[in-house]
Amino acid sequence: MTIQEVLVKAREILKASKYNSLEAEVILGNILNKERVYLHINSDIELKKNEENRFFKELQELKEGKPLQYITGQTYWQGLDFYCNESTLIPREDTRILYEEATELIKLMGEKKVKLVEIGTGSGILPVLLKKENPTVQVYTVEKNPVTLETARKNFQKHKVEVESYLGDLLEPIRKRGLKAEIIISNPPYVSHKEYLELDKEVKNEPYEALVGGADGLDFYRRIGREYKYVLNKGGYLAVEIGWQQFEAVKEIFEKCGLTLIKKAVDDGGRDRVVVLEYKDK
Ligand SMILES: C[S@@+](CC[C@H](N)C(=O)[O-])C[C@H]1O[C@@H](n2cnc3c(N)ncnc32)[C@H](O)[C@@H]1O
């Protein structure tokens, strides 16, 4: 079949779904390793049998709820492209707020030599962007899932950033090395188990461990609250992404653990997204 013929058939296959020819073209472009515009200019080119088979197989996977990013192995965030796969959370636009708050904190430190630790790197979007924009900051990150960490490391290489990345649980690898930081950031898993059950089937294709933070979604904030003192220098900051209904609970958890709220940041829809706290030097 020609490119045009498979795309016409794809439209037919996707007709009753929420997808359309855009997704079909992205999949075919990825298989052929060509831009979408190539498909239109070369619509009469015959596909090889293996290309055609792979195309219809992946189209079927899309229809059954596999995210397009997992099919192509590629995702975009803040204008950059990143490798991703079934082990990595697909980066969300809202995480931009955490990136912006981390950038503000780095600026606040002025000329100081800043060490920043991220917990739960996923595809590595935050370390990549932060290191690219702030080359003098020493960036460390921890990830529990080895396949995810490997993907993040590929992204660090792809974007040519030097990030110290460790496999491990929460702050443990940082603590073990006796490292101390001025800033800790995290977009931890914060969906409750009950909320998870109600998510779209497409989101459920993403790793459970990257989404769910225990029965009420707050487990990671409790754990970070117990452990931050081993890594954060006095006068340092913690910035975390939160679920839009979690502000009061997260604030209470961290205040009980000796941190002081300095800011709550909201998304474009006015929903609570990020909490910034200080480990006061007093
Ligand atoms: C919500 S995702 C965030 C990924 C990425 N930072 C982002 O913002 O797109 C949370 C990440 O934390 C990782 N994670 C879960 N439990 C962890 C733990 N105990 N220690 C370190 N990382 C963990 C997950 O594998 C996942 O990659």
Side-chain angles (χ1 to χ4, degrees), residues 77 87-92 95 98 118-127 142-145 148 168-171 186-190 207 209-211 220 223 241:
W77 196 73
S87 83
T88 57
L89 183 94
I90 297 167
R92 305 299 201 264
T95 302
L98 179 58
E118 183 202 27
I119 305 169
T121 203
S123 53
I125 51 165
L126 287 164
V142 181
E143 172 57 53
K144 193 178 169 190
N145 180 324
T148 310
D169 182 26
L170 224 67
L171 290 166
S186 186
N187 171 18
Y190 56 71
E209 297 73 23
L211 291 165
F220 282 84
R223 288 197 58 202
E241 183 168 318

Side-chain angles (χ1 to χ4, degrees), residues 36-53:
R36 276 176 54 224
V37 63
Y38 169 94
L39 307 177
H40 297 285
I41 301 169
N42 299 284
S43 58
D44 55 348
I45 282 185
E46 278 289 322
L47 292 180
K48 296 189 188 106
K49 199 67 202 156
N50 63 334
E51 292 167 340
E52 194 182 306
N53 290 344

Side-chain angles (χ1 to χ4, degrees), residues 69 75-79 89-100 125-126 187 190 206 241 266-269 271 273-274:
Q69 293 90 333
T75 186
Y76 293 88
W77 196 73
Q78 298 296 298
L89 183 94
I90 297 167
R92 305 299 201 264
E93 153 60 18
D94 281 341
T95 302
R96 172 180 53 85
I97 319 274
L98 179 58
Y99 163 63
E100 288 169 356
I125 51 165
L126 287 164
N187 171 18
Y190 56 71
E206 297 183 69
E241 183 168 318
V266 298
D267 64 20
D268 298 344
R271 286 179 304 197
R273 268 287 149 224
V274 170

Side-chain angles (χ1 to χ4, degrees), residues 9 17 56 138 140 144 154 183 186 232 252 264-265 275:
K9 194 165 171 198
S17 75
F56 287 115
Q138 276 179 272
Y140 302 84
K144 193 178 169 190
K154 274 176 68 186
I183 301 171
S186 186
L232 196 61
E252 194 185 325
K264 173 179 84 169
V275 177

